[in-house]
Amino acid sequence: MTTTAPAAVSADRAPKDRSMQLQKDMIAEHYRRLEAAPETHEPVVYTFVPGNLTELVRAFGALPLLPEINALQSGMRGMSRKYIAEAEKAGHSEDVCTYVKCDLGMLKSGNIGPTGTRLPKPDLLLLSYTGCYTFMKWFELLREEYDCPAVFLHVPYQGDGKVAPEHRKYVVDQIREKIIPALEQVTGRKLDEARLSELLGYSRAAEDDLVAVLQSAKHHPSPIDSWFGAVYYVGPIFSSFRGTPEGAAYYRALREEVEERVARDEGPMTPSGRLDEQKYRIVAEGPPNWTSFHDFWRMFSEEGAVCVASTYTKVGGTYDFGFRHDPSDPIGTLADYCAGCYTNLNLPQRVEMLADYVRNYEADGFLVHSVKSCNSFSAGQLLILREVEKRTGVPGAFIESDLVDPRYFSAANIKNRLESYFQMLAARRGAGGSLPLGVVAGGAL
Amino acid sequence: MSTRAAIVERAQALYDDLSLGSVRAWCAEGVGRKAAGYLPVYVPREVIHATGMLPVGIHGGGDRLEIIRGDAYFQSYICHLPRSLVELLHTGRLDALSAMIFPSTCDVIRNLSGMWKLLRPDLYVRYCDVPQATERSTGGAFWRRELETLYADLAEVAGVAPDLAALNRSNAVYNEVRRTIRALYAARSDAPWRIPTEELYLLLRAGEVLPPEDFLTMAGDYLRATALDTARPKDRVRVVVVGAFCEQPPLGLIKTIERAGCYIVDDDFLLGNRLLTSDVPFGDDPLTALSDTFLHHAMASSILYEHAPDGKKKLLARRVADARADGVIFAAPSFCDPALLDRPMLLAGAEAAKIPCMAFQYSENTGQFQQYREQAGSFSDSIKLWGGHP
Ligand code: SF4
Ligand code: SF4
């Protein structure tokens, strides 16, 4: 599960901010290097977004490549249906995560990446097992396809809502004893900790700016859409550009842009144009849908709804709750980062996070978008809905679809559901907030 | 009634009793007695047992529970087990438990641990993350420490002081339990016509709720009784059933597979009771002994990362050879990530080794078995006629 700004799609369909060009150039350059890697011999490391060790990979001069991003971009480019069918034909169950099937289907269909170029084979599969069981199987499956080493980092789940010191030590020890030697082996370089610290400094700067961007949504009107729009914003930091000067420059530019919008009391660009008149401020739980991303977004923007906070934009790090990479403790900070990603949090923590968002961002409502693919997100979401309602007094809505399997995105149903929800929020506002909760969620637990 | 029939009848009664009457009775028999529940697949029962609490395996409501509230907690694309667990919780059937342990089987059980914390804040609830790193310095140190925390916490719930001797005793009891289960599996594999899987399964389910000492007596009596059985082999093929390690198939499905012409000679049912394939040694540090045994002697399964690149490919061929089986039935719960994500890798390995395979999905409350009967019947016939390659 993760996100990045889709290179090909963003340019012509999504809002055109200045920062977007920077991002587009960064992504194009990254995929160019990836395509050339077999000739340039730049080592390529496949890894996942939550708990990724990008700075470490980059410190070895290797290029990260993230299969989740391939999958979501295939979804946005309209390729996922075909890829999923390909994987199901090869024996993969209809019932499992469609990211995996989309990625495997893409691999079987020639491994053409989001910018239309062929993706290189990995020199190393770096499995950071953080917050999602499926990751483990996904890389076991990829290992069957590639003749390359695989190395495994186990990040314990925050079952008790905290990172115990021994859990941190476990991760640190694995990074030192297994991950670094594996990277040394495939890159033929020794780790330069000073270089790693330097890269972590770029991460930290970018994280400060990203948090300023995300928290700008507390302003009325919100200058950003913190779910659909923020998918673009978190792209670089969640994927290959954390710990890079380009990444840091992107976030500085983005922050300046957003601060200008705040000063002018402007809303974000959306598929329905600039959204200055914001009728509903919504908090979102769960990932968006990628196959109908813009249509889905439009269902909000046409109703004057803006997302002011989302949990999905925390799958690659919960920076707005204070975490920053610490260059003075380069390995320890990587362990802290891995443990803190959203899907590695337990359910009470998730409920608290959502309730905080609803209160601190003065939301009118919150929406749970449940995706069929993802047990890591989906299992327990109906209880989350109930608990957040209970704690905040704000009514929630529940809709279902999928990430990249278009068979599960029922536009008419979702639109109806959202329209009734927004009407209910309007009626509730008219009634001074006295309508009962759970009207749209349907049924009491 | 014969000893064997009496054992099976008792095991069936325990299986049918979703209110854990035997657990309540056990708790009531002594002052301060408590019980701790655990979900599939692997939880170190020794650690619960060493606190004096009764370890109780909670395996859902099967096809014996009407789901009224449980469905309101889970979307249609999540497996059935958590619904019946929530139903059991809401109907008070799990009230005998003072603690609940959720192992790292999958994200559903993982998230369920948080749901339990929200739904039963009064209860000791722990997510038990088994190590996926197999080195002693990393995975071993982590797991040793997890076991220590779990033990200290449970000892507090039980109201006892941590006690090394008790841990050693519990390690020894569960060594004996696993040896007995292995003996039962070996006896079934040698003469599956004498030990139908439905009986073996019921016996193992009894082992999930009875004190291990009682289970040992029961299982020993059963083994002795079956040794006297004079039944003759039937014309059935020998199959290994895999994929059913968490949400359990209804008993009717197990019976159906066997009656359709397949002797089950190895399986994944209730896998946690025998996940460790070697004894935990006695010593000064029983938690390290337990931890080391897990690191080096845990069965390959879908809940653990397969470190060997060809591990998945070879797994079924090895199990089939060990069980002298003719084929594999991959039976997975619907929407079960661990089983279904593993399926293509495992079946590809089996098929490469020319092992006949068939696959189906079930849910714990499946009530119609006709489709399974037909599938298992044709599978059996095809193996008999053509060695599984029609
Ligand atoms: S199950 Fe969820 S978090 Fe895991 S890979 Fe699939 S979409 Fe991502
Ligand atoms: S049946 Fe499968 S998905 Fe469901 S709880 Fe068990 S392991 Fe998880």
Side-chain angles (χ1 to χ4, degrees), chain A residues 95 131 133 137 140 143 152 154 156-157 159-160 167 170 177-178 343 350 370 375-376 378-379 400 445, chain B residues 72 75 77 107 110-111 117 126 129-130 132-133 135 137 142 146 302 305-306 312 335 337-338 342 361:
Chain A
D95 290 353
Y133 168 87
K137 297 288 141 194
E140 285 177 351
R143 191 178 55 190
F152 185 100
H154 177 199
Y157 180 63
D160 284 336
H167 293 177
Y170 176 41
E177 293 177 27
K178 287 169 54 188
T343 46
R350 297 185 194 187
S370 182
N375 283 344
S376 179
S378 301
E400 298 172 296
L445 297 183
Chain B
Q75 302 88 317
Y77 38 79
D107 290 341
R110 186 197 70 174
N111 287 7
K117 278 182 191 282
R126 185 162 179 88
D129 209 349
V130 298
Q132 299 288 349
E135 296 77 14
S137 59
F142 164 77
E146 288 298 289
S302 301
Y305 180 64
E306 175 55 73
K312 293 277 172 205
F335 303 108
D337 279 347
D342 255 359
Q361 285 174 223

Side-chain angles (χ1 to χ4, degrees), chain A residues 51-341:
Chain A
N52 71 67
L53 304 176
T54 299
E55 298 88 347
L56 188 66
V57 170
R58 293 262 188 198
F60 281 98
L63 297 171
L65 200 159
L66 299 105
E68 296 146 289
I69 290 176
N70 299 339
L72 86 81
Q73 291 185 329
S74 298
M76 293 191 94
R77 288 158 59 229
M79 304 296 286
S80 53
R81 183 192 295 270
K82 175 171 159 269
Y83 293 157
I84 291 166
E86 188 76 31
E88 288 179 359
K89 211 165 70 200
H92 292 270
S93 166
E94 240 188 73
D95 290 353
V96 299
C97 172
T98 48
Y99 265 13
V100 180
K101 289 184 285 186
C102 186
D103 182 45
L104 293 171
M106 185 186 84
L107 172 61
K108 298 279 180 211
S109 314
N111 226 11
I112 303 300
T115 51
T117 56
R118 189 176 298 278
L119 296 174
K121 290 181 178 171
D123 295 290
L124 178 70
L125 292 167
L126 165 49
L127 166 51
S128 176
Y129 177 52
T130 303
C132 166
Y133 168 87
T134 300
F135 288 162
M136 196 157 82
K137 297 288 141 194
W138 193 341
F139 267 31
E140 285 177 351
L141 284 158
L142 282 183
R143 191 178 55 190
E144 308 252 303
E145 305 290 334
Y146 296 114
D147 183 23
C148 78
V151 63
F152 185 100
L153 174 69
H154 177 199
V155 179
Y157 180 63
Q158 292 199 35
D160 284 336
K162 60 181 192 310
V163 184
E166 62 268 24
H167 293 177
R168 183 181 198 266
K169 182 175 181 319
Y170 176 41
V171 180
V172 167
D173 289 349
Q174 290 176 83
I175 294 176
R176 284 202 186 283
E177 293 177 27
K178 287 169 54 188
I179 307 298
I180 291 174
L183 283 161
E184 287 179 341
Q185 178 82 31
V186 297
T187 62
R189 294 190 189 186
K190 281 279 173 222
L191 175 65
D192 176 351
E193 278 208 21
R195 171 77 181 141
L196 176 59
S197 293
E198 185 191 335
L199 299 186
L200 289 164
Y202 293 123
S203 303
R204 196 181 178 92
E207 287 154 9
D208 281 342
D209 287 335
L210 172 66
V211 170
V213 168
L214 294 174
Q215 292 185 341
S216 71
K218 289 180 181 168
H219 189 76
H220 294 246
S222 171
I224 62 168
D225 184 287
S226 214
W227 194 31
F228 298 105
V231 156
Y232 294 91
Y233 305 154
V234 295
I237 206 162
F238 279 13
S239 59
S240 307
F241 302 100
R242 213 179 59 221
T244 64
E246 313 90 275
Y250 165 79
Y251 283 101
R252 180 43 53 99
L254 177 67
R255 179 179 183 166
E256 285 167 5
E257 239 165 52
V258 168
E259 284 173 352
E260 283 166 23
R261 290 211 290 271
V262 171
R264 293 195 299 264
D265 275 340
E266 283 178 7
M269 285 302 291
T270 72
S272 324
R274 208 174 71 202
L275 194 65
D276 294 340
E277 296 292 320
Q278 299 175 356
K279 286 204 271 185
Y280 310 108
R281 295 168 62 85
I282 303 295
V283 168
E285 147 69 13
N289 160 276
W290 301 116
T291 51
S292 300
F293 182 78
H294 290 90
D295 293 340
F296 192 23
W297 189 354
R298 195 172 293 109
M299 291 177 198
F300 287 72
S301 54
E302 278 177 353
E303 297 285 335
V306 66
C307 293
V308 288
S310 67
T311 53
Y312 180 62
T313 49
K314 315 299 151 31
V315 291
T318 46
Y319 303 111
D320 56 341
F321 284 80
F323 173 77
R324 295 288 183 280
H325 281 92
D326 176 4
S328 70
D329 178 14
I331 306 297
T333 202
L334 291 174
D336 293 334
Y337 162 74
C338 291
C341 295

